Amino acid sequence: MTNFKASPARVSILLMSVASIMILFQTIGCSSGKQHGQDADTLTSVSSLFEEDHVWKGPDSSMIPKGDEGKLISYGRELLIHTSKYFGPYGSISINTNGMSCQNCHLDAGTRPYGNNLGAVASTYPKLSPRSGNTITIADKVNECMTRSMNGSPIDTATKEMQAYVSYIKWLGKDVKKGE
């Protein structure tokens, strides 16, 4: 058995060899920036989705209408932001969830672009759920979050709370065309 000693010269040669191999793979493995199976039109259309005028912006909460409809929408927003206060381990409505709030996943009350926003929910529901194989509504989706993400129980769809959730989500997506 021979004794291998890592001298500075050997380490330098090893590092240069690894760097040379990496450069070789980079040069051979990459083409003109186009991935296999993609053409320039596809790359352009995907990148255009991130331009300012294509990014969904949630409505300003100060624009929530007045009256009973506005109160329901505002209550839905409040429930989304402070879910655990109402449904958490010490919830004032029920002791129902693990203490998370909807806003843990749906950032800025579901309005942040690229923050798992809720802008397209109203325009895409009801829809077929791949998980259940059934057509589900917005209320069903809220309850799916309550039971799966928050490890709780479903909310009765006839309650003021569920109606508030649905009203807020519909208000968020009021300017999104059906199917978008």
Side-chain angles (χ1 to χ4, degrees):
M1 219 169 157
T2 56
N3 225 357
F4 179 78
K5 189 166 185 161
S7 69
R10 285 185 176 165
V11 171
S12 296
I13 291 170
L14 179 65
L15 288 175
M16 286 177 26
S17 299
V18 170
S20 298
I21 291 170
M22 290 174 65
I23 291 170
L24 180 65
F25 281 133
Q26 177 100 21
T27 305
I28 293 171
C30 294
S31 60
S32 61
K34 189 162 82 168
Q35 293 182 8
H36 178 69
Q38 289 185 332
D39 57 19
D41 291 338
T42 303
L43 292 174
T44 302
S45 65
V46 170
S47 65
S48 71
L49 294 174
F50 295 96
E51 292 175 2
E52 183 75 20
D53 58 339
H54 285 86
V55 176
W56 176 80
K57 292 173 190 69
D60 188 330
S61 62
S62 68
M63 301 306 292
I64 293 174
K66 304 295 181 213
D68 291 341
E69 177 191 12
K71 287 178 185 174
L72 197 60
I73 292 167
S74 293
Y75 185 42
R77 182 175 186 275
E78 171 71 13
L79 291 171
L80 196 131
I81 294 170
H82 302 289
T83 316
S84 65
K85 176 180 172 184
Y86 298 98
F87 295 106
Y90 305 102
S92 61
I93 295 173
S94 75
I95 298 170
N96 186 24
T97 68
N98 58 11
M100 287 180 62
S101 289
C102 300
Q103 188 164 253
N104 288 113
C105 297
H106 304 285
L107 307 180
D108 296 339
T111 63
R112 185 184 296 177
Y114 310 112
N116 202 13
N117 69 65
L118 300 169
V121 174
S123 74
T124 57
Y125 280 80
K127 72 178 182 181
L128 183 65
S129 168
R131 181 174 286 136
S132 69
N134 298 322
T135 300
I136 62 171
T137 64
I138 295 172
D140 294 329
K141 187 61 181 174
V142 169
N143 274 332
E144 187 177 291
C145 287
M146 283 289 185
T147 57
R148 294 181 64 81
S149 301
M150 294 192 235
N151 197 30
S153 305
I155 302 170
D156 183 344
T157 56
T159 63
K160 177 181 176 184
E161 286 69 32
M162 182 58 80
Q163 298 308 310
Y165 268 119
V166 171
S167 293
Y168 177 66
I169 292 168
K170 284 182 176 180
W171 177 79
L172 281 179
K174 65 185 173 50
D175 297 325
V176 178
K177 293 177 187 158
K178 192 71 175 160
E180 284 188 6

mmCIF file with all atom_site columns, all heavy atoms in Angstrom, residues 41-58:
data_model
loop_
_atom_site.group_PDB
_atom_site.id
_atom_site.type_symbol
_atom_site.label_atom_id
_atom_site.label_alt_id
_atom_site.label_comp_id
_atom_site.label_asym_id
_atom_site.label_entity_id
_atom_site.label_seq_id
_atom_site.pdbx_PDB_ins_code
_atom_site.Cartn_x
_atom_site.Cartn_y
_atom_site.Cartn_z
_atom_site.occupancy
_atom_site.B_iso_or_equiv
_atom_site.pdbx_formal_charge
_atom_site.auth_seq_id
_atom_site.auth_comp_id
_atom_site.auth_asym_id
_atom_site.auth_atom_id
_atom_site.pdbx_PDB_model_num
ATOM 1   N N   . ASP A 1 41 ? -39.670 30.949 -30.191 1.00 0.00 ? 41 ASP A N   1
ATOM 2   C CA  . ASP A 1 41 ? -41.008 31.471 -29.925 1.00 0.00 ? 41 ASP A CA  1
ATOM 3   C C   . ASP A 1 41 ? -41.522 31.026 -28.557 1.00 0.00 ? 41 ASP A C   1
ATOM 4   O O   . ASP A 1 41 ? -42.119 31.803 -27.820 1.00 0.00 ? 41 ASP A O   1
ATOM 5   C CB  . ASP A 1 41 ? -41.995 31.027 -31.015 1.00 0.00 ? 41 ASP A CB  1
ATOM 6   C CG  . ASP A 1 41 ? -41.708 31.680 -32.356 1.00 0.00 ? 41 ASP A CG  1
ATOM 7   O OD1 . ASP A 1 41 ? -41.053 32.743 -32.365 1.00 0.00 ? 41 ASP A OD1 1
ATOM 8   O OD2 . ASP A 1 41 ? -42.136 31.114 -33.386 1.00 0.00 ? 41 ASP A OD2 1
ATOM 9   N N   . THR A 1 42 ? -41.273 29.775 -28.203 1.00 0.00 ? 42 THR A N   1
ATOM 10  C CA  . THR A 1 42 ? -41.708 29.262 -26.909 1.00 0.00 ? 42 THR A CA  1
ATOM 11  C C   . THR A 1 42 ? -41.005 29.997 -25.785 1.00 0.00 ? 42 THR A C   1
ATOM 12  O O   . THR A 1 42 ? -41.631 30.418 -24.816 1.00 0.00 ? 42 THR A O   1
ATOM 13  C CB  . THR A 1 42 ? -41.435 27.752 -26.796 1.00 0.00 ? 42 THR A CB  1
ATOM 14  O OG1 . THR A 1 42 ? -42.092 27.083 -27.862 1.00 0.00 ? 42 THR A OG1 1
ATOM 15  C CG2 . THR A 1 42 ? -41.907 27.201 -25.476 1.00 0.00 ? 42 THR A CG2 1
ATOM 16  N N   . LEU A 1 43 ? -39.694 30.148 -25.910 1.00 0.00 ? 43 LEU A N   1
ATOM 17  C CA  . LEU A 1 43 ? -38.939 30.843 -24.867 1.00 0.00 ? 43 LEU A CA  1
ATOM 18  C C   . LEU A 1 43 ? -39.392 32.286 -24.732 1.00 0.00 ? 43 LEU A C   1
ATOM 19  O O   . LEU A 1 43 ? -39.507 32.811 -23.626 1.00 0.00 ? 43 LEU A O   1
ATOM 20  C CB  . LEU A 1 43 ? -37.443 30.770 -25.164 1.00 0.00 ? 43 LEU A CB  1
ATOM 21  C CG  . LEU A 1 43 ? -36.811 29.380 -25.065 1.00 0.00 ? 43 LEU A CG  1
ATOM 22  C CD1 . LEU A 1 43 ? -35.368 29.420 -25.531 1.00 0.00 ? 43 LEU A CD1 1
ATOM 23  C CD2 . LEU A 1 43 ? -36.901 28.855 -23.652 1.00 0.00 ? 43 LEU A CD2 1
ATOM 24  N N   . THR A 1 44 ? -39.673 32.944 -25.844 1.00 0.00 ? 44 THR A N   1
ATOM 25  C CA  . THR A 1 44 ? -40.130 34.326 -25.809 1.00 0.00 ? 44 THR A CA  1
ATOM 26  C C   . THR A 1 44 ? -41.501 34.427 -25.152 1.00 0.00 ? 44 THR A C   1
ATOM 27  O O   . THR A 1 44 ? -41.732 35.300 -24.323 1.00 0.00 ? 44 THR A O   1
ATOM 28  C CB  . THR A 1 44 ? -40.181 34.920 -27.236 1.00 0.00 ? 44 THR A CB  1
ATOM 29  O OG1 . THR A 1 44 ? -38.885 34.812 -27.799 1.00 0.00 ? 44 THR A OG1 1
ATOM 30  C CG2 . THR A 1 44 ? -40.623 36.362 -27.218 1.00 0.00 ? 44 THR A CG2 1
ATOM 31  N N   . SER A 1 45 ? -42.416 33.522 -25.498 1.00 0.00 ? 45 SER A N   1
ATOM 32  C CA  . SER A 1 45 ? -43.767 33.609 -24.939 1.00 0.00 ? 45 SER A CA  1
ATOM 33  C C   . SER A 1 45 ? -43.759 33.321 -23.444 1.00 0.00 ? 45 SER A C   1
ATOM 34  O O   . SER A 1 45 ? -44.504 33.944 -22.695 1.00 0.00 ? 45 SER A O   1
ATOM 35  C CB  . SER A 1 45 ? -44.723 32.664 -25.663 1.00 0.00 ? 45 SER A CB  1
ATOM 36  O OG  . SER A 1 45 ? -44.357 31.326 -25.453 1.00 0.00 ? 45 SER A OG  1
ATOM 37  N N   . VAL A 1 46 ? -42.924 32.401 -22.976 1.00 0.00 ? 46 VAL A N   1
ATOM 38  C CA  . VAL A 1 46 ? -42.834 32.122 -21.546 1.00 0.00 ? 46 VAL A CA  1
ATOM 39  C C   . VAL A 1 46 ? -42.231 33.308 -20.815 1.00 0.00 ? 46 VAL A C   1
ATOM 40  O O   . VAL A 1 46 ? -42.745 33.742 -19.783 1.00 0.00 ? 46 VAL A O   1
ATOM 41  C CB  . VAL A 1 46 ? -42.020 30.832 -21.291 1.00 0.00 ? 46 VAL A CB  1
ATOM 42  C CG1 . VAL A 1 46 ? -41.707 30.673 -19.814 1.00 0.00 ? 46 VAL A CG1 1
ATOM 43  C CG2 . VAL A 1 46 ? -42.772 29.616 -21.803 1.00 0.00 ? 46 VAL A CG2 1
ATOM 44  N N   . SER A 1 47 ? -41.161 33.875 -21.338 1.00 0.00 ? 47 SER A N   1
ATOM 45  C CA  . SER A 1 47 ? -40.531 34.995 -20.652 1.00 0.00 ? 47 SER A CA  1
ATOM 46  C C   . SER A 1 47 ? -41.439 36.223 -20.629 1.00 0.00 ? 47 SER A C   1
ATOM 47  O O   . SER A 1 47 ? -41.373 37.030 -19.706 1.00 0.00 ? 47 SER A O   1
ATOM 48  C CB  . SER A 1 47 ? -39.181 35.337 -21.279 1.00 0.00 ? 47 SER A CB  1
ATOM 49  O OG  . SER A 1 47 ? -39.356 35.804 -22.595 1.00 0.00 ? 47 SER A OG  1
ATOM 50  N N   . SER A 1 48 ? -42.316 36.373 -21.619 1.00 0.00 ? 48 SER A N   1
ATOM 51  C CA  . SER A 1 48 ? -43.217 37.528 -21.635 1.00 0.00 ? 48 SER A CA  1
ATOM 52  C C   . SER A 1 48 ? -44.238 37.475 -20.497 1.00 0.00 ? 48 SER A C   1
ATOM 53  O O   . SER A 1 48 ? -44.789 38.502 -20.112 1.00 0.00 ? 48 SER A O   1
ATOM 54  C CB  . SER A 1 48 ? -43.932 37.642 -22.981 1.00 0.00 ? 48 SER A CB  1
ATOM 55  O OG  . SER A 1 48 ? -44.877 36.608 -23.130 1.00 0.00 ? 48 SER A OG  1
ATOM 56  N N   . LEU A 1 49 ? -44.480 36.280 -19.951 1.00 0.00 ? 49 LEU A N   1
ATOM 57  C CA  . LEU A 1 49 ? -45.418 36.165 -18.835 1.00 0.00 ? 49 LEU A CA  1
ATOM 58  C C   . LEU A 1 49 ? -44.921 36.891 -17.586 1.00 0.00 ? 49 LEU A C   1
ATOM 59  O O   . LEU A 1 49 ? -45.698 37.226 -16.710 1.00 0.00 ? 49 LEU A O   1
ATOM 60  C CB  . LEU A 1 49 ? -45.671 34.691 -18.494 1.00 0.00 ? 49 LEU A CB  1
ATOM 61  C CG  . LEU A 1 49 ? -46.395 33.881 -19.546 1.00 0.00 ? 49 LEU A CG  1
ATOM 62  C CD1 . LEU A 1 49 ? -46.450 32.417 -19.124 1.00 0.00 ? 49 LEU A CD1 1
ATOM 63  C CD2 . LEU A 1 49 ? -47.782 34.420 -19.799 1.00 0.00 ? 49 LEU A CD2 1
ATOM 64  N N   . PHE A 1 50 ? -43.625 37.128 -17.512 1.00 0.00 ? 50 PHE A N   1
ATOM 65  C CA  . PHE A 1 50 ? -43.056 37.774 -16.338 1.00 0.00 ? 50 PHE A CA  1
ATOM 66  C C   . PHE A 1 50 ? -42.891 39.280 -16.517 1.00 0.00 ? 50 PHE A C   1
ATOM 67  O O   . PHE A 1 50 ? -42.373 39.952 -15.640 1.00 0.00 ? 50 PHE A O   1
ATOM 68  C CB  . PHE A 1 50 ? -41.708 37.126 -15.982 1.00 0.00 ? 50 PHE A CB  1
ATOM 69  C CG  . PHE A 1 50 ? -41.871 35.692 -15.575 1.00 0.00 ? 50 PHE A CG  1
ATOM 70  C CD1 . PHE A 1 50 ? -41.697 34.670 -16.490 1.00 0.00 ? 50 PHE A CD1 1
ATOM 71  C CD2 . PHE A 1 50 ? -42.239 35.364 -14.280 1.00 0.00 ? 50 PHE A CD2 1
ATOM 72  C CE1 . PHE A 1 50 ? -41.865 33.340 -16.123 1.00 0.00 ? 50 PHE A CE1 1
ATOM 73  C CE2 . PHE A 1 50 ? -42.417 34.041 -13.906 1.00 0.00 ? 50 PHE A CE2 1
ATOM 74  C CZ  . PHE A 1 50 ? -42.231 33.029 -14.825 1.00 0.00 ? 50 PHE A CZ  1
ATOM 75  N N   . GLU A 1 51 ? -43.329 39.807 -17.644 1.00 0.00 ? 51 GLU A N   1
ATOM 76  C CA  . GLU A 1 51 ? -43.275 41.246 -17.857 1.00 0.00 ? 51 GLU A CA  1
ATOM 77  C C   . GLU A 1 51 ? -44.352 41.919 -17.016 1.00 0.00 ? 51 GLU A C   1
ATOM 78  O O   . GLU A 1 51 ? -45.388 41.337 -16.704 1.00 0.00 ? 51 GLU A O   1
ATOM 79  C CB  . GLU A 1 51 ? -43.476 41.569 -19.346 1.00 0.00 ? 51 GLU A CB  1
ATOM 80  C CG  . GLU A 1 51 ? -42.321 41.093 -20.199 1.00 0.00 ? 51 GLU A CG  1
ATOM 81  C CD  . GLU A 1 51 ? -42.564 41.287 -21.691 1.00 0.00 ? 51 GLU A CD  1
ATOM 82  O OE1 . GLU A 1 51 ? -43.617 41.832 -22.071 1.00 0.00 ? 51 GLU A OE1 1
ATOM 83  O OE2 . GLU A 1 51 ? -41.693 40.865 -22.462 1.00 0.00 ? 51 GLU A OE2 1
ATOM 84  N N   . GLU A 1 52 ? -44.110 43.151 -16.671 1.00 0.00 ? 52 GLU A N   1
ATOM 85  C CA  . GLU A 1 52 ? -44.976 43.919 -15.783 1.00 0.00 ? 52 GLU A CA  1
ATOM 86  C C   . GLU A 1 52 ? -46.455 43.880 -16.178 1.00 0.00 ? 52 GLU A C   1
ATOM 87  O O   . GLU A 1 52 ? -47.321 43.698 -15.336 1.00 0.00 ? 52 GLU A O   1
ATOM 88  C CB  . GLU A 1 52 ? -44.480 45.370 -15.741 1.00 0.00 ? 52 GLU A CB  1
ATOM 89  C CG  . GLU A 1 52 ? -45.245 46.266 -14.792 1.00 0.00 ? 52 GLU A CG  1
ATOM 90  C CD  . GLU A 1 52 ? -44.912 46.024 -13.325 1.00 0.00 ? 52 GLU A CD  1
ATOM 91  O OE1 . GLU A 1 52 ? -43.850 45.461 -13.029 1.00 0.00 ? 52 GLU A OE1 1
ATOM 92  O OE2 . GLU A 1 52 ? -45.738 46.400 -12.480 1.00 0.00 ? 52 GLU A OE2 1
ATOM 93  N N   . ASP A 1 53 ? -46.762 44.022 -17.459 1.00 0.00 ? 53 ASP A N   1
ATOM 94  C CA  . ASP A 1 53 ? -48.167 44.091 -17.864 1.00 0.00 ? 53 ASP A CA  1
ATOM 95  C C   . ASP A 1 53 ? -48.869 42.737 -17.877 1.00 0.00 ? 53 ASP A C   1
ATOM 96  O O   . ASP A 1 53 ? -50.070 42.668 -18.075 1.00 0.00 ? 53 ASP A O   1
ATOM 97  C CB  . ASP A 1 53 ? -48.309 44.785 -19.220 1.00 0.00 ? 53 ASP A CB  1
ATOM 98  C CG  . ASP A 1 53 ? -47.526 44.107 -20.331 1.00 0.00 ? 53 ASP A CG  1
ATOM 99  O OD1 . ASP A 1 53 ? -46.582 43.369 -20.015 1.00 0.00 ? 53 ASP A OD1 1
ATOM 100 O OD2 . ASP A 1 53 ? -47.860 44.324 -21.505 1.00 0.00 ? 53 ASP A OD2 1
ATOM 101 N N   . HIS A 1 54 ? -48.163 41.640 -17.635 1.00 0.00 ? 54 HIS A N   1
ATOM 102 C CA  . HIS A 1 54 ? -48.768 40.316 -17.588 1.00 0.00 ? 54 HIS A CA  1
ATOM 103 C C   . HIS A 1 54 ? -48.941 39.804 -16.158 1.00 0.00 ? 54 HIS A C   1
ATOM 104 O O   . HIS A 1 54 ? -49.509 38.749 -15.952 1.00 0.00 ? 54 HIS A O   1
ATOM 105 C CB  . HIS A 1 54 ? -47.935 39.307 -18.376 1.00 0.00 ? 54 HIS A CB  1
ATOM 106 C CG  . HIS A 1 54 ? -48.093 39.453 -19.841 1.00 0.00 ? 54 HIS A CG  1
ATOM 107 N ND1 . HIS A 1 54 ? -47.345 40.324 -20.581 1.00 0.00 ? 54 HIS A ND1 1
ATOM 108 C CD2 . HIS A 1 54 ? -48.926 38.838 -20.716 1.00 0.00 ? 54 HIS A CD2 1
ATOM 109 C CE1 . HIS A 1 54 ? -47.696 40.245 -21.847 1.00 0.00 ? 54 HIS A CE1 1
ATOM 110 N NE2 . HIS A 1 54 ? -48.650 39.354 -21.958 1.00 0.00 ? 54 HIS A NE2 1
ATOM 111 N N   . VAL A 1 55 ? -48.426 40.520 -15.192 1.00 0.00 ? 55 VAL A N   1
ATOM 112 C CA  . VAL A 1 55 ? -48.474 40.081 -13.806 1.00 0.00 ? 55 VAL A CA  1
ATOM 113 C C   . VAL A 1 55 ? -49.787 40.543 -13.172 1.00 0.00 ? 55 VAL A C   1
ATOM 114 O O   . VAL A 1 55 ? -50.119 41.728 -13.205 1.00 0.00 ? 55 VAL A O   1
ATOM 115 C CB  . VAL A 1 55 ? -47.264 40.633 -13.014 1.00 0.00 ? 55 VAL A CB  1
ATOM 116 C CG1 . VAL A 1 55 ? -47.351 40.252 -11.548 1.00 0.00 ? 55 VAL A CG1 1
ATOM 117 C CG2 . VAL A 1 55 ? -45.963 40.136 -13.617 1.00 0.00 ? 55 VAL A CG2 1
ATOM 118 N N   . TRP A 1 56 ? -50.518 39.587 -12.600 1.00 0.00 ? 56 TRP A N   1
ATOM 119 C CA  . TRP A 1 56 ? -51.772 39.916 -11.931 1.00 0.00 ? 56 TRP A CA  1
ATOM 120 C C   . TRP A 1 56 ? -51.473 40.724 -10.674 1.00 0.00 ? 56 TRP A C   1
ATOM 121 O O   . TRP A 1 56 ? -50.559 40.408 -9.911  1.00 0.00 ? 56 TRP A O   1
ATOM 122 C CB  . TRP A 1 56 ? -52.522 38.637 -11.550 1.00 0.00 ? 56 TRP A CB  1
ATOM 123 C CG  . TRP A 1 56 ? -53.772 38.886 -10.766 1.00 0.00 ? 56 TRP A CG  1
ATOM 124 C CD1 . TRP A 1 56 ? -54.977 39.256 -11.266 1.00 0.00 ? 56 TRP A CD1 1
ATOM 125 C CD2 . TRP A 1 56 ? -53.932 38.807 -9.342  1.00 0.00 ? 56 TRP A CD2 1
ATOM 126 N NE1 . TRP A 1 56 ? -55.878 39.403 -10.245 1.00 0.00 ? 56 TRP A NE1 1
ATOM 127 C CE2 . TRP A 1 56 ? -55.265 39.138 -9.056  1.00 0.00 ? 56 TRP A CE2 1
ATOM 128 C CE3 . TRP A 1 56 ? -53.087 38.506 -8.283  1.00 0.00 ? 56 TRP A CE3 1
ATOM 129 C CZ2 . TRP A 1 56 ? -55.783 39.158 -7.770  1.00 0.00 ? 56 TRP A CZ2 1
ATOM 130 C CZ3 . TRP A 1 56 ? -53.589 38.519 -7.003  1.00 0.00 ? 56 TRP A CZ3 1
ATOM 131 C CH2 . TRP A 1 56 ? -54.920 38.846 -6.758  1.00 0.00 ? 56 TRP A CH2 1
ATOM 132 N N   . LYS A 1 57 ? -52.243 41.766 -10.502 1.00 0.00 ? 57 LYS A N   1
ATOM 133 C CA  . LYS A 1 57 ? -52.132 42.588 -9.300  1.00 0.00 ? 57 LYS A CA  1
ATOM 134 C C   . LYS A 1 57 ? -53.485 42.554 -8.600  1.00 0.00 ? 57 LYS A C   1
ATOM 135 O O   . LYS A 1 57 ? -54.508 42.853 -9.205  1.00 0.00 ? 57 LYS A O   1
ATOM 136 C CB  . LYS A 1 57 ? -51.754 44.022 -9.664  1.00 0.00 ? 57 LYS A CB  1
ATOM 137 C CG  . LYS A 1 57 ? -50.354 44.148 -10.230 1.00 0.00 ? 57 LYS A CG  1
ATOM 138 C CD  . LYS A 1 57 ? -50.095 45.568 -10.724 1.00 0.00 ? 57 LYS A CD  1
ATOM 139 C CE  . LYS A 1 57 ? -48.819 45.668 -11.490 1.00 0.00 ? 57 LYS A CE  1
ATOM 140 N NZ  . LYS A 1 57 ? -48.831 44.990 -12.781 1.00 0.00 ? 57 LYS A NZ  1
ATOM 141 N N   . GLY A 1 58 ? -53.464 42.194 -7.348  1.00 0.00 ? 58 GLY A N   1
ATOM 142 C CA  . GLY A 1 58 ? -54.710 42.129 -6.575  1.00 0.00 ? 58 GLY A CA  1
ATOM 143 C C   . GLY A 1 58 ? -55.290 43.503 -6.359  1.00 0.00 ? 58 GLY A C   1
ATOM 144 O O   . GLY A 1 58 ? -54.571 44.505 -6.295  1.00 0.00 ? 58 GLY A O   1
#
